[in-house]
Amino acid sequence: MAEDIKKGLLGIVVDETEVSKVMPEINSLTYRGYAAQDLCAKCKFEEVAYLILNGELPSEKQLKNFEKVERKERNLSKTLLESIKNFPKKSHPMDVARTAVSIMGLEDKETKDNSSEANLRKVMRIFAKTPVALAAFYRIRKGKKIIKPKSSLSFSENFFYMCFGKVPEKEIVKAFDVSLILYAEHSFNVSTFTARTITSSLSDIHGAITGAIASLKGPLHGGANEEVMHMMNKIKKPENALNWINNALDQKAVVMGFGHRVYKSGDSRVPTMREYFSKVAKVKKDKKFEKIYDIVEKVMIERKNIHPNVDYPTGPTYHLMGFDTDFFTPIFVISRITGWSAHILEQHAANKLIRPLASYKGSGYRKVVPLNQR
Ligand code: CMC
């Protein structure tokens, strides 16, 4: 008799966590008890990164110290920089992020030390260096000179500066910061579960984050923000949107940026990101994507009762900010490093090897026939 299979671990609770929760009483994603949208309104990304990693919001002094460490660690080794210069220009930046973190693991003096103190030090290095590695690749593949990080700039400002050579309007920086806050953590999603699974064999944090990046790349997870932009580019103009989405649904297509395993009546991050998408569109004086956005969303809700997830507004927002589409998911990475790391620390603190079972449906027992008799 076949065992009771829970494909996709649907509805299975596999462990406890203190990092985040979608709280039904406020219908919102919360980090360490704080609503993500409240954090967006009152904090900068670095404060939220500190909260996710350390459990509490920082005092001014603690934030200053956290920022000091992050800014100090923003340098890449010669080997890593040379490697990035030699990566194929056509590489997907997610593969660049994955390989860069892997190389950081080769170089880190504390790779083998899984104590929480060493892990926190390693997190700060991965957190600070990954955006620098990505921005370097951003420039290199365009044939442009690499821009060194600037320690006077915040995390978000510095990323813009290293990619584009300048810091944009403060509304744009705030919208980017908000997107990083909203992307920072989401409990046992597939990439976080991957990181925890790797950690559960007592492997190291660089390996766990490398695996998590590979997992995030998929279009059913982080890759959806890129797919949303491909969809909007196919639609081209608002006048085409209604026909396009109706045809897609007639053909039973999966529409990227919609649906969620946890939220069935709307992702609590979407209203905040939608608001900042609008602010960015206003600064950029480009309302085209907002119009397409609204039409597709309306049809998805009317015809399927499926609501947008956070990847739906972030895709066109990053596009308006000037990022290449294949950099959208890597931006998700530079934020989610915080959530993954908090889970890796939590897994180490109360570890149990993750080892589920499978229901075997292969051939019954048989004897090996030697090669010359087959
Ligand atoms: N477009 C069209 N139909 C959909 C969609 C969608 N985006 N999402 C769900 N459905 C339908 C699905 O076809 C199924 O219909 P039926 O019962 O007739 O077969 C029903 O809704 C239930 O969907 P499901 O795929 O069984 O639900 P799930 O919880 O396994 O999947 C999901 C969740 C995110 C994989 C899925 O909604 C999806 O593929 N969405 C598009 C990709 C996407 O936007 N991913 C980002 C997720 S959120 C951010 C992140 O984690 O990175």
Side-chain angles (χ1 to χ4, degrees):
M1 202 175 74
E3 290 97 329
D4 184 18
I5 300 169
K6 300 283 184 204
K7 222 170 160 85
L9 297 181
L10 206 83
I12 301 292
V13 178
V14 295
D15 209 338
E16 297 177 312
T17 181
E18 292 180 4
V19 189
S20 70
K21 176 180 165 63
V22 176
M23 290 190 181
E25 62 271 33
I26 54 164
N27 189 31
S28 173
L29 172 64
T30 56
Y31 304 154
R32 310 276 188 191
Y34 298 106
Q37 57 275 19
D38 201 13
L39 293 166
C40 288
K42 296 176 189 147
C43 303
K44 60 196 250 194
F45 174 59
E46 287 89 329
E47 290 172 74
V48 179
Y50 182 100
L51 167 73
I52 290 173
L53 291 169
N54 297 285
E56 294 297 335
L57 280 167
S59 64
E60 282 183 59
K61 196 175 156 203
Q62 286 166 326
L63 179 64
K64 223 172 159 188
N65 193 38
F66 181 80
E67 289 182 331
K68 201 171 140 197
V69 176
E70 185 269 312
R71 291 172 192 210
K72 198 180 120 248
E73 294 289 358
R74 281 179 192 169
N75 57 315
L76 303 185
S77 72
K78 242 184 159 167
T79 316
L80 178 52
L81 202 56
E82 282 309 308
S83 305
I84 296 171
K85 284 183 190 165
N86 288 313
F87 287 163
K89 302 265 182 302
K90 286 196 170 140
S91 307
H92 192 289
M94 281 300 276
D95 300 337
V96 169
R98 193 194 65 226
T99 309
V101 172
S102 199
I103 294 174
M104 287 174 211
L106 300 178
E107 298 180 321
D108 201 300
K109 286 191 180 69
E110 296 187 290
T111 297
K112 281 188 192 150
D113 187 346
N114 279 333
S115 65
S116 49
E117 297 77 17
N119 272 338
L120 270 171
R121 287 191 292 272
K122 288 186 275 184
V123 170
M124 290 310 287
R125 295 197 271 273
I126 299 169
F127 178 56
K129 292 180 203 307
T130 307
V132 183
L134 279 164
F137 183 68
Y138 195 86
R139 304 279 303 175
I140 290 164
R141 74 172 184 181
K142 289 178 187 292
K144 293 185 172 166
K145 232 176 130 218
I146 294 171
I147 299 171
K148 285 192 179 144
K150 223 183 211 175
S151 62
S152 58
L153 299 177
S154 74
F155 188 89
S156 292
E157 288 169 341
N158 185 51
F159 190 65
F160 278 105
Y161 171 70
M162 291 185 301
C163 289
F164 304 119
K166 58 178 194 230
V167 178
E169 297 87 340
K170 62 179 189 324
E171 294 89 338
I172 304 280
V173 175
K174 176 65 187 170
F176 189 76
D177 228 55
V178 162
S179 77
L180 297 183
I181 294 174
L182 296 175
Y183 267 147
E185 159 59 13
H186 211 284
S187 196
F188 275 44
N189 55 79
V190 55
S191 58
T192 303
F193 190 61
T194 302
R196 291 191 76 129
T197 304
I198 293 171
T199 304
S200 82
S201 72
L202 300 184
S203 187
D204 57 78
I205 195 163
H206 287 88
I209 291 183
T210 300
I213 295 171
S215 167
L216 188 73
K217 186 185 175 192
L220 295 189
H221 191 13
N225 57 10
E226 296 180 17
E227 297 299 329
V228 167
M229 205 55 230
H230 294 313
M231 174 180 81
M232 295 217 170
N233 285 332
K234 271 187 221 151
I235 295 175
K236 277 198 183 90
K237 42 188 184 179
E239 301 86 280
N240 299 339
L242 197 60
N243 268 346
W244 192 94
I245 183 64
N246 276 316
N247 279 338
L249 292 182
D250 290 345
Q251 285 160 29
K252 308 233 174 297
V254 173
V255 182
M256 292 296 160
F258 285 85
H260 201 279
R261 179 61 67 83
V262 176
Y263 306 102
K264 294 299 176 195
S265 55
D267 178 337
S268 67
R269 299 166 294 181
V270 168
T272 310
M273 200 58 231
R274 175 70 183 87
E275 186 191 328
Y276 281 90
F277 168 34
S278 197
K279 289 183 185 194
V280 171
K282 202 167 165 200
V283 174
K284 295 289 175 186
K285 298 189 179 58
D286 187 342
K287 297 269 176 189
K288 179 177 97 176
F289 293 109
E290 269 194 293
K291 286 182 187 153
I292 295 176
Y293 180 106
D294 290 340
I295 296 166
V296 172
E297 180 190 40
K298 192 164 176 276
V299 174
M300 282 300 286
I301 295 173
E302 275 173 11
R303 280 191 59 178
K304 301 278 290 181
N305 195 26
I306 298 178
H307 293 257
N309 58 57
V310 70
D311 289 322
Y312 190 53
T314 47
T317 307
Y318 289 154
H319 174 80
L320 289 172
M321 286 172 174
F323 291 105
D324 296 343
T325 305
D326 60 1
F327 258 73
F328 296 0
T329 319
I331 295 171
F332 192 158
V333 168
I334 64 177
S335 158
R336 188 56 67 86
I337 283 170
T338 58
W340 291 329
S341 302
H343 281 275
I344 291 165
L345 288 160
E346 205 172 62
Q347 185 71 34
H348 272 302
N351 189 49
K352 179 88 179 163
L353 180 73
I354 296 172
R355 204 306 187 185
L357 300 173
S359 174
Y360 178 69
K361 59 169 198 172
S363 161
Y365 172 71
R366 44 189 173 161
K367 284 215 158 103
V368 177
V369 179
L371 183 60
N372 62 0
Q373 291 167 36
R374 264 177 255 154

